[in-house]
Structure formats: structure tokens, C-alpha cells
Amino acid sequence: MNSDANAGGADPADILGAVTEPIVRETEPRIRETTDTRRRLAAVEDTVPRQAVAQGIHRVALPDDELAEVVCVHCGTQGRGPRCSACERPHRIQDRFEADLGVAGLVTDRGILHARNEDAVAAAVVPDDDGRPETIVLVVCDGVSSSPDPQAASGSAARTGVDACLAALAGDRTAEEAAAAGMAAASEAVRNLVGPDGDAPSCTYVSAIVRSEADGRTSVTVSNIGDSRAYWLAPGEPAAEQPARPGHPAALSAAQKLTVDDSWAQTLVEAGAMDEQAAMADPRAHTLMRWLGADAGQHPWSADSIRTYYVESPGLLLLCTDGLWNYLPAPADLAQRALGAPTVDAARALVDYAVVCGGSDNITVALAPVSGGL
């Protein structure tokens, strides 16, 4: 929970509505034996209206087994989809999925210790009348492993969040209003995933909308629930400033973290009880104070979940789950490993680093270079 005060400007509370204080959910990894990642997702497709996506928009969501070209380990047939077309046995789970949207690179990886990937990432690129990218929408979600079928929550939230942002922007809403619409739609989608026994999957959520504004500037609007993060990566000394206050846009130049975690560790830091290093060493550090799920309340976000920045010099926008930032939390370290390489190669390098460090969690990265003019 962030204690920054709102003084003037657009009040995010007016956009987001009422704020609730959900109970604390533990997020320690719990490996489950089931590999059925589609039961709840199939159910939610019939109950949650899908937002229409305008023609010409390039959109992708991962993991997506329909993209995987694999060889069946049972009969040797090459094909796509969750099952072999010849013997109808399930395909072996793919460890990594990637997508190159040209102006953004997405990579999600199972890691080493988890039996399956419970993360998800979705993105869309909206062209202008000349076919050039005008808006980029990114969403990254991390399924809470202590909840049932967390991969269903993260997958549904990521896709629904992107679609709702697109629909809001198409309706001439501001980027902050679109980010709020994305969070609200993602929250509702995950709330609808409650099983017949009352078990409720849950996940974190972080989004970004990169947009060319009428005044020629490029804005970056981020929102988050939980501890998945957004970073700005740029050369030079990292920024000493704290993330922008809601309703008060800030300039982006040096490397910095753009979001504030909804976690036990962040609560300790804000209360002045510990510095960040000591708080992250606490066994409860990754305990979530806010998340998406039926047990998180109708409005599981805070009044300062949305922040806007303006780009002053070129850099990389990074959205990631804690499977990456557990190993590389500092913006400068992330920048050192990502800058100077093609976008997808840079995203791979960040994910590979986390795998080599132990891959104790699923790892997901969405990376977009922003020059100040899309």
C-alpha cells in the first residue's frame, strides 16, 4: 500500500472507484501434479464477453500451445496443438514461448523448478492511418501458485486486460482510463473462474500503455496489482526519484522502477521498519497484499495503482514477473543486460539469465523500445 498523497491533477480514485483491503495471500511455490491448463480457460470463454479487436491490430497472448510446432514423443508425428493429431496423446509441455511484434518482444519460460508455466503475457500493437505503430498495450500476469489452476487466472487476466484497454482507447478514453478499464475487466474475468467447490485461482497483474500523444510526446502509463513490475531501462546513472505519484506525470530518462509492489516487503519499507534489502530477506517478503481473484474483493487495487510518465530520451520499457526481478531487481543491472541488443534477443537474454541463476519460478518478460516517438 503506497502512502503517496494526491494533490491536484486527475484523481485515480475517481477512475478506479472504491478501494478494498483484501486479506493477505501467501505466494510460496507449490508444484501441482496436474498438467490440465485449459479446463477453467475453456469455461471462462463461454461466460466472459470477449472485447472486439479492430482490424489491423496485431495481438498475441502467450503461452499458446497452438503456436508450438512439436514432435510427439510417443509416435514421432510433428504438429501443433495440445494433442498429437495421429495418436491423440498429449504433447509434452513446451518450456518456452516467444513472440516478436516488431516493436515489442515477449518471452515466457517455465523455469526449472516449476512443473508448468503459471505466468502469462499478452500484447497488442495499434497502427495509425499510415500503418505505423501508434499505441502498444502490454500485460504480464503471474499466477499465484498457492491457488488452484493459477495459470487459468493469469492467462484470462492478460488477454482480457489487453482487450479492455484496446476497447477503452478505441472509445477515446485516456490512457489512465484505459489502464483502469483493463484492471477492472481482468479482475472480473478472474473472479468468474471460481470452481464448483468454491476454489478461486488468482494472479498478479501489471500493464503498460505506450501512446503517441497529440502534442508529439510519447506517454507510458503503467498499472499494477501485486508484485509483477514495470521498469524503464536506459543508459547512464539510474534515477534516484521514486515512481511517479498518481495524477502527477513524471519524466522518463534514466533507468528506474515504475511500479510499487503490493507486497509485505514493500509494506515494511514504506512503514520505515526495514530498508529494501532487509525487507526482501524477510520470509514473508513475497506475501501479496493485493491480487486478482474471487477472494480479493471487487476492487483489488489501490488508489495509486496507475502512474503516467513521459519519455524524454530513448529507452526500453520492461514488464516482468518476479521470476526475473528476484535475480535482477536493480534497474541498472537489468539495463546492462538488455540495452544494445535486438528486442527479442534482449528479452531472451533476461530470461536466460534467470534460468541460469536457478529458474526457481516461471519467468516472463515483455520488452518494448521507446524512442520518444513511436
Side-chain angles (χ1 to χ4, degrees):
M1 294 155 296
N2 192 281
S3 58
D4 287 340
N6 296 320
D11 186 354
D14 293 336
I15 300 173
L16 296 172
V19 176
T20 59
E21 297 291 340
I23 58 175
V24 173
R25 176 183 281 279
E26 296 288 345
T27 59
E28 288 302 313
R30 179 162 65 94
I31 297 175
R32 296 162 56 87
E33 294 300 324
T34 177
T35 58
D36 180 6
T37 63
R38 298 172 183 82
R39 174 171 62 87
R40 291 180 186 272
L41 287 178
V44 77
E45 294 296 337
D46 295 331
T47 59
V48 179
R50 305 295 292 155
Q51 300 287 346
V53 179
Q55 188 175 6
I57 294 177
H58 189 180
R59 178 182 176 280
V60 66
L62 304 174
D64 185 352
D65 285 338
E66 297 302 323
L67 296 177
E69 186 81 25
V70 296
V71 175
C72 178
V73 297
H74 303 287
C75 70
T77 301
Q78 184 170 340
R80 297 185 180 184
R83 291 184 176 273
C84 175
S85 60
C87 69
E88 297 187 349
R89 294 185 180 181
H91 278 143
R92 185 174 59 191
I93 296 175
Q94 184 170 329
D95 289 334
R96 178 175 293 191
F97 290 87
E98 300 180 354
D100 185 353
L101 283 75
V103 293
L106 316 178
V107 180
T108 183
D109 192 284
R110 179 178 63 85
I112 295 175
L113 297 187
H114 276 247
R116 65 186 177 192
N117 193 347
E118 297 168 356
D119 286 357
V121 55
V125 180
V126 183
D128 61 16
D129 294 338
D130 297 323
R132 293 174 298 189
E134 182 178 53
T135 302
I136 304 170
V137 180
L138 305 169
V139 175
V140 166
C141 298
D142 183 354
V144 176
S145 295
S146 58
S147 71
D149 293 335
Q151 72 289 338
S154 60
S156 183
R159 297 193 317 274
T160 304
V162 166
D163 287 355
C165 286
L166 292 175
L169 292 171
D172 292 328
R173 308 283 293 279
T174 68
E176 289 194 352
E177 290 171 333
M183 285 197 297
S187 175
E188 182 64 18
V190 178
R191 285 172 59 81
N192 286 344
L193 291 174
V194 177
D197 298 327
D199 51 341
S202 54
C203 65
T204 68
Y205 181 95
V206 61
S207 76
I209 298 173
V210 184
R211 198 176 192 192
S212 297
E213 301 292 347
D215 61 5
R217 295 188 298 176
T218 297
S219 65
V220 176
T221 299
V222 298
S223 71
N224 73 294
I225 304 167
D227 63 355
S228 293
R229 293 180 175 180
Y231 287 90
W232 179 252
L233 310 182
E237 292 297 319
E241 297 85 5
Q242 295 297 314
R245 288 187 299 153
H248 292 46
L252 280 177
S253 53
Q256 65 183 105
K257 183 160 71 79
L258 306 182
T259 52
V260 176
D261 296 344
D262 295 315
S263 67
W264 180 262
Q266 183 64 33
T267 300
L268 293 175
V269 171
E270 291 180 352
M274 294 183 184
D275 60 25
E276 185 173 2
Q277 184 175 0
M280 289 306 302
D282 189 288
R284 300 161 293 182
H286 284 275
T287 299
L288 296 180
M289 309 305 289
R290 301 180 188 275
W291 63 92
L292 296 183
D295 56 353
Q298 185 115 21
H299 302 284
W301 46 73
S302 68
D304 54 1
S305 291
I306 297 176
R307 302 163 192 274
T308 294
Y309 301 83
Y310 286 98
V311 178
E312 289 195 337
S313 56
L316 290 174
L317 174 65
L318 168 67
L319 270 61
C320 65
T321 59
D322 61 352
L324 172 63
W325 68 255
N326 274 336
Y327 299 109
L328 282 173
D333 294 337
L334 290 163
Q336 183 179 12
R337 294 186 175 275
L339 294 173
T343 305
V344 174
D345 290 345
R348 287 192 196 113
L350 292 173
V351 173
D352 288 343
Y353 180 84
V355 172
V356 170
C357 287
S360 62
D361 202 350
N362 310 138
I363 310 137
T364 299
V365 164
L367 197 64
V370 184
S371 63
L374 294 177

